[in-house]
Amino acid sequence: MRTDSPPLESLGFTSAQISLYNAVLRLHRATCAELAEALDGSPEPLSRELATLVKLGVVHEQGGEYLACHPATALGHLLADRLDRLAAESRRIDTVVGSIRDLIHQYDAGRDYQAGQFSVDLVGGADELYESVIGMAVQAPPLELLSVIPDRRTMNDFAHRYADQWIGAQRAGLLSTRNIIPVQTLEIPALREKLDQFQQAGARIRTLDTVPSWFLVAGTDAAGVPARWGGTLAESAYNFHLVRTSVVVAALRSLFDELWARPAPLPWPRRGDGMIQVLRLAAQGVSDEMIARQLGISVRTVRARFADAMAELGAQSRFQAGAE
């Protein structure tokens, strides 16, 4: 009767090792000669297989005798090791999958470059800008929109004329936005209320002391750039170029990601998340003094928020509070 266990092959056992392991289990304790006799084999090759089983941790060797370990313990260790390796392989596969989009962008950019396909349309007027974004969102929701706004006048127009339209689109699931704005524009009347509503709808907003130029990225296929790089929309009467070229879209997306890594969140609590703000900034290596400047609060308040977070989370250190 066959007593081998084929599933053990998935743990790296050969057929000979499976047969030998089963013999050790049945005899429980035996010498190499006794195992060879039980298997009608030669002791010499058997000793090499026994050495492998000992190395795998499923058999112990004591004074020339071989003793089977309990299968639940021995095979459990092998299974755990295999699962760890599978998890590591899965993480490597996830990394590769995550990089496919960037590789596709490079492919599209190369194809466009060789074919000379550089689609550029001149768009004029603020109404046309906001309506074109909503139009693209309606065609392929949710549209991932990345926007960088460097000036006060554009933010003022946004607060008083166009914010409700984008807030509604964000709330309806048409838009998924990340926005970088100058910290100085937070003084604009009514802007704070609109930005709060925008965030509550799901938008993400960060501030930067100096923003290099206006531009936006709409999904993976379109980008808006000003008539003059480094300029603003307002100074060119809201005239801008809508570019549908992969190489330009990919370059502006990369620039946005670089800028996004630098700014701070909006410097006021949203839904009582003051503690979360200081923990997140600290996790980025920002000092207490810099956190205070970015959030517009005192260093004492920063440290008080750390203390509140540690007390609320039952953490013994800032690091533990950040992890929680």
Side-chain angles (χ1 to χ4, degrees):
M1 180 178 66
R2 179 178 174 83
T3 56
D4 293 353
S5 303
L8 293 179
E9 293 174 354
S10 63
L11 294 178
F13 286 75
T14 66
S15 296
Q17 290 166 353
I18 293 172
S19 298
L20 179 57
Y21 178 52
N22 279 312
V24 176
L25 290 174
R26 291 194 304 272
L27 296 176
H28 192 66
R29 181 190 296 270
T31 64
C32 182
E34 290 170 339
L35 288 167
E37 181 180 354
L39 294 171
D40 297 325
S42 172
E44 185 175 345
L46 213 61
S47 63
R48 292 194 295 269
E49 299 293 0
L50 282 168
T52 300
L53 295 180
V54 171
K55 186 175 181 180
L56 289 172
V58 298
V59 171
H60 284 321
E61 191 272 330
Q62 295 178 351
E65 290 186 320
Y66 294 90
L67 175 67
C69 304
H70 193 286
T73 301
L75 297 180
H77 287 307
L78 292 178
L79 287 169
D81 180 65
R82 177 58 60 90
L83 289 173
D84 286 343
R85 281 183 282 162
L86 288 174
E89 181 68 15
S90 178
R91 288 192 293 271
R92 288 192 290 269
I93 291 173
D94 288 342
T95 301
V96 173
V97 171
S99 69
I100 288 177
R101 186 180 70 176
D102 292 335
L103 295 174
I104 291 173
H105 287 164
Q106 293 184 51
Y107 172 84
D108 290 341
R111 180 193 60 194
D112 292 348
Y113 175 76
Q114 292 296 332
Q117 297 176 3
F118 292 90
S119 172
V120 180
D121 296 317
L122 181 63
V123 179
D127 292 342
E128 287 76 5
L129 164 63
Y130 287 95
E131 289 173 4
S132 64
V133 169
I134 298 299
M136 287 186 285
V138 169
Q139 293 176 22
L143 177 70
E144 182 187 19
L145 182 68
L146 315 177
S147 71
V148 179
I149 302 175
D151 65 299
R152 187 181 184 93
R153 180 177 167 184
T154 303
M155 289 305 302
N156 185 69
D157 289 345
F158 173 79
H160 291 93
R161 297 176 59 188
Y162 302 106
D164 291 340
Q165 187 178 13
W166 277 26
I167 291 168
Q170 177 79 41
R171 187 176 291 124
L174 297 176
L175 286 177
S176 174
T177 66
R178 285 190 289 159
N179 312 273
I180 298 174
I181 63 176
V183 68
Q184 298 86 352
T185 63
L186 299 179
E187 303 170 355
I188 296 173
L191 180 59
R192 172 170 177 167
E193 178 185 354
K194 296 300 182 182
L195 293 180
D196 273 340
Q197 294 174 14
F198 205 16
Q199 284 195 129
Q200 290 169 15
R204 299 163 64 190
I205 304 168
R206 292 185 179 181
T207 62
L208 196 64
D209 287 340
T210 303
V211 178
S213 179
W214 175 87
F215 68 90
L216 64 80
V217 178
T220 59
D221 301 320
V225 293
R228 179 182 62 82
W229 182 258
T232 69
L233 283 174
E235 70 184 17
S236 59
Y238 278 88
N239 293 319
F240 71 97
H241 298 293
L242 185 63
V243 184
R244 297 181 182 274
T245 304
S246 296
V247 63
V248 176
V249 175
L252 290 175
R253 177 178 288 274
S254 296
L255 174 59
F256 182 91
D257 288 338
E258 287 291 329
L259 295 173
W260 184 258
R262 303 175 190 175
L266 292 178
W268 59 73
R270 180 172 62 91
R271 297 195 297 269
D273 62 357
M275 293 184 295
I276 296 176
Q277 287 179 324
V278 297
L279 290 173
R280 284 177 175 167
L281 289 170
Q284 299 171 18
V286 181
S287 67
D288 289 1
E289 291 74 15
M290 184 62 71
I291 292 173
R293 285 198 292 272
Q294 290 195 19
L295 299 183
I297 57 179
S298 68
V299 174
R300 183 174 181 178
T301 300
V302 170
R303 291 170 180 165
R305 289 184 181 178
F306 273 123
D308 290 342
M310 291 168 62
E312 182 171 323
L313 297 169
Q316 301 300 314
S317 66
R318 291 185 176 189
F319 176 82
Q320 185 182 357
E324 292 291 339

